Amino acid sequence: MENKNAWEKYPEGEKRQKVMDFAEDYRKFISKCKTERECMQEFVSLAKDAGFVDLDELIQKGTQIKAGDKIYAGKMGKAAAFFVIGKRNLEKGLNILGAHIDSPRLDLKQVPLYEDNEMAMLDTHYYGGVKKYQWVTLPLALHGVFVKKDGTVVNVNIGDKPQDPVFGISDLLIHLSGEQLEKKAAKVIEGEKLDLLIGSIPMKKEEDKKEAKDAVKGNILRILQETYGVSEDDFLSAEIEAVPAGEARDYGFDRSMIMGYGHDDRVCAYPSFQAILNVTEPETTSVCLLVDKEEIGSVGATGMQSRFFEDTVAELLNQMGAYSEISLRRTMRNSKMFSSDVSAAYDPNYPEVTEKRNAAYFGKGLVFNKYTGSRGKSGSNDANAEYMAQIRNILDEKNIAFQTSELGKVDQGGGGTIAYILANYGMQVIDSGVAVLNMHAPWEIISKVDLYEALLGYQAFLETI
């Protein structure tokens, strides 16, 4: 069974230009939004422009919710749910597109700044599953926030503008790497060696005083105070992420691909959000659910394992005058979901880790993983065949390119998504997303046509299921 290349649907001209235009909008988005906070700020801003109203405002005003209303609810600036209320009773279920907006990165520790032999350094703790050796000798940017004791939030974004300095992690020169190269890949670079070099000029010596201890660190603190108005203690209540510096770029002579940071999982979050913007007067309430912390187990108040989404649905029901515990349970149980998450693309350089008949390929469209997990499907949702048949029927009718895949050969490895968490409510859930090369590397690669087919598939799901 062979899937056609989706590019064949878009010959040169207006049809192909739509694919390229959507991809360019996405490229700009991931170049600008490199943290979960930045993603959420952009999505909420776009939602407000499209007429979405904050649920908290509706609750405060006692406004009754009705069909056609566009509503969003946020959580700590890192997660949100966007709703377009349908004509059917909520108890009949919701159509949910769920994705995560966090990506692997390096987080600064709470006490990160130190000096070693007149070199100022920042100590980090890596976030999510990474190959640590991929993060050395790269230009890195710093994105995030300082939150001062009085509650003032100071945004940090340095390293991405052409005039900005960048930061990085040094590596041993090849001439002195004999012992290092004997180590296993997981140990070539140790986690505690992922410290950023950020400065080397000592603070100016005053005439009447001896040169200060840690003068280079002192000079960095002076710069931070002058630039951001923060002190060393403010690192205690900061969330600063080191991410690859620079814009996402078109990839390949034919510009058919995009290389960028954070495709996992913003390449699914972006078309999911665009799909909800395109929904008008749905029969079934449409939802775009964007969450945090998936890369570390979907934990915490902004992760999928929290009660955020369930509580939000309860508030919606209450504002419609229809809340009860059984109504909430029915709404969740009768819902259907695309867990919008990436899949591993077939790599010609490493064909041995995939089984070709059940692998995802660039240019073959939206990917469905009936199950993920590892080895014996451990930790997987494993969607029902009846649900998959319904999806096949809809996508074939609308001529949307799609493919099915496993995440590598049996016993090779595996991975997880948020699918199993929503499935705990009894709803129908399947993993669907875009194939990615270099997954979890600082620079990942996707196909533009797969991104576009994801948009079409997500829209079809919201409109038809």
Side-chain angles (χ1 to χ4, degrees):
M1 188 166 60
E2 187 174 350
N3 296 315
K4 291 182 179 180
N5 194 307
W7 284 111
E8 296 177 11
K9 292 172 54 180
Y10 306 102
E12 293 289 352
E14 185 177 344
K15 287 186 176 181
R16 180 164 294 187
Q17 194 58 47
K18 286 184 178 180
V19 176
M20 295 303 191
D21 288 346
F22 185 69
E24 177 61 12
D25 289 342
Y26 167 70
R27 187 197 65 78
K28 291 177 180 177
F29 167 77
I30 59 166
S31 297
K32 175 183 178 183
C33 301
K34 294 188 174 182
T35 70
E36 61 281 9
R37 286 178 183 266
E38 290 168 345
C39 287
M40 199 49 58
Q41 287 171 1
E42 182 72 5
F43 285 138
V44 169
S45 176
L46 291 172
K48 286 181 177 179
D49 289 344
F52 283 75
V53 180
D54 191 339
L55 177 59
D56 285 340
E57 292 181 18
L58 298 179
I59 293 170
Q60 189 174 20
K61 294 177 181 178
T63 305
Q64 187 84 4
I65 294 173
K66 61 186 184 304
D69 285 350
K70 297 179 179 181
I71 300 163
Y72 76 92
K75 185 66 173 178
M76 299 182 180
K78 300 178 185 178
F82 303 87
F83 299 82
V84 179
I85 305 300
K87 300 172 185 176
R88 302 173 69 195
N89 191 301
L90 257 63
E91 281 193 16
K92 300 295 184 181
L94 316 168
N95 288 343
I96 307 166
L97 294 171
H100 67 91
I101 53 173
D102 60 315
S103 296
R105 60 183 188 253
L106 306 178
D107 287 342
L108 297 195
K109 292 184 178 181
Q110 284 191 280
V111 184
L113 182 59
Y114 69 96
E115 181 175 330
D116 189 339
N117 283 288
E118 298 187 303
M119 301 176 85
M121 311 289 288
L122 287 173
D123 201 357
T124 74
H125 192 134
Y126 64 90
Y127 173 98
V130 301
K131 292 181 177 179
K132 296 183 287 291
Y133 63 78
Q134 294 179 330
W135 286 80
V136 299
T137 73
L138 292 175
L140 299 174
L142 295 177
H143 290 229
V145 296
F146 287 97
V147 183
K148 303 176 79 171
K149 287 192 292 184
D150 64 2
T152 302
V153 177
V154 181
N155 290 300
V156 175
N157 185 330
I158 184 168
D160 276 314
K161 296 183 287 294
Q163 67 271 24
D164 283 351
V166 294
F167 313 93
I169 301 163
S170 59
D171 192 14
L172 276 176
L173 64 163
I174 186 64
H175 311 76
L176 300 178
S177 298
E179 290 186 9
Q180 182 192 46
L181 294 175
E182 295 297 319
K183 296 180 180 180
K184 292 182 178 180
K187 297 291 185 180
V188 168
I189 301 294
E190 301 281 355
E192 288 291 356
K193 298 288 186 183
L194 294 173
D195 289 3
L196 301 172
L197 175 59
I198 61 167
S200 60
I201 297 177
M203 185 183 294
K204 185 178 179 181
K205 181 180 178 181
E206 296 182 18
E207 294 295 330
D208 58 342
K209 293 184 179 179
K210 294 182 179 180
E211 189 167 346
K213 182 182 177 183
D214 290 345
V216 176
K217 173 184 171 181
N219 192 43
I220 297 299
L221 288 171
R222 178 190 62 79
I223 293 170
L224 289 173
Q225 179 63 46
E226 291 177 356
T227 307
Y228 299 107
V230 298
S231 64
E232 185 173 9
D233 287 349
D234 290 323
F235 278 105
L236 294 175
S237 52
E239 292 178 357
I240 310 292
E241 303 175 12
V243 297
E247 290 193 350
R249 302 284 295 275
D250 281 353
Y251 197 82
F253 281 117
D254 56 5
R255 297 180 177 268
S256 62
M257 298 166 280
I258 298 174
M259 170 179 269
Y261 166 68
H263 285 318
D264 182 5
D265 185 35
R266 291 158 197 159
V267 74
C268 297
Y270 186 81
S272 295
F273 179 76
Q274 291 300 322
I276 200 77
L277 292 187
N278 293 340
V279 169
T280 57
E281 300 182 354
E283 290 294 321
T284 301
T285 294
S286 298
V287 186
C288 175
L289 174 61
L290 303 176
V291 293
D292 183 25
K293 300 291 193 293
E294 191 275 345
E295 297 296 358
I296 57 171
S298 296
V299 294
T302 54
M304 194 63 250
Q305 293 199 61
S306 76
R307 300 289 287 272
F308 161 63
F309 183 60
E310 181 183 336
D311 288 349
T312 301
V313 175
E315 293 283 6
L316 278 177
L317 285 165
N318 190 59
Q319 211 61 23
M320 299 172 84
Y323 175 77
S324 69
E325 183 66 16
I326 193 62
S327 291
L328 176 60
R329 297 295 153 215
R330 287 170 179 163
T331 300
M332 301 298 281
R333 183 176 67 243
N334 292 328
S335 294
K336 292 183 172 68
M337 180 184 182
F338 276 10
S339 174
S340 306
D341 209 339
V342 298
S343 191
Y346 173 81
D347 190 337
N349 284 326
Y350 302 98
E352 65 276 6
V353 300
T354 52
E355 190 266 290
K356 289 188 175 181
R357 293 185 304 278
N358 291 283
Y361 296 89
F362 270 14
K364 298 299 178 73
L366 180 60
V367 183
F368 286 92
N369 290 82
K370 186 177 184 296
Y371 45 83
T372 53
S374 59
R375 299 173 177 86
K377 298 185 181 180
S378 177
S380 174
N381 167 52
D382 205 352
N384 275 13
E386 290 86 350
Y387 188 37
M388 187 68 210
Q390 185 182 16
I391 293 165
R392 286 176 55 210
N393 183 50
I394 291 167
L395 298 184
D396 283 343
E397 280 188 356
K398 292 184 176 292
N399 191 30
I400 296 169
F402 74 94
Q403 55 187 315
T404 60
S405 177
E406 291 185 309
L407 195 62
K409 284 182 177 178
V410 177
D411 288 339
Q412 189 66 47
T417 68
I418 64 172
Y420 76 97
I421 302 169
L422 276 299
N424 287 336
Y425 290 101
M427 67 177 71
Q428 296 272 24
V429 184
I430 192 167
D431 283 297
S432 66
V434 176
V436 175
L437 279 175
N438 300 353
M439 194 188 296
H440 281 215
W443 297 103
E444 301 169 315
I445 307 167
I446 60 99
S447 165
K448 292 181 178 180
V449 77
D450 294 339
L451 170 67
Y452 192 70
E453 294 299 305
L455 171 67
L456 298 182
Y458 293 161
Q459 287 181 180
F461 166 75
L462 294 180
E463 294 167 356
T464 315
I465 286 288

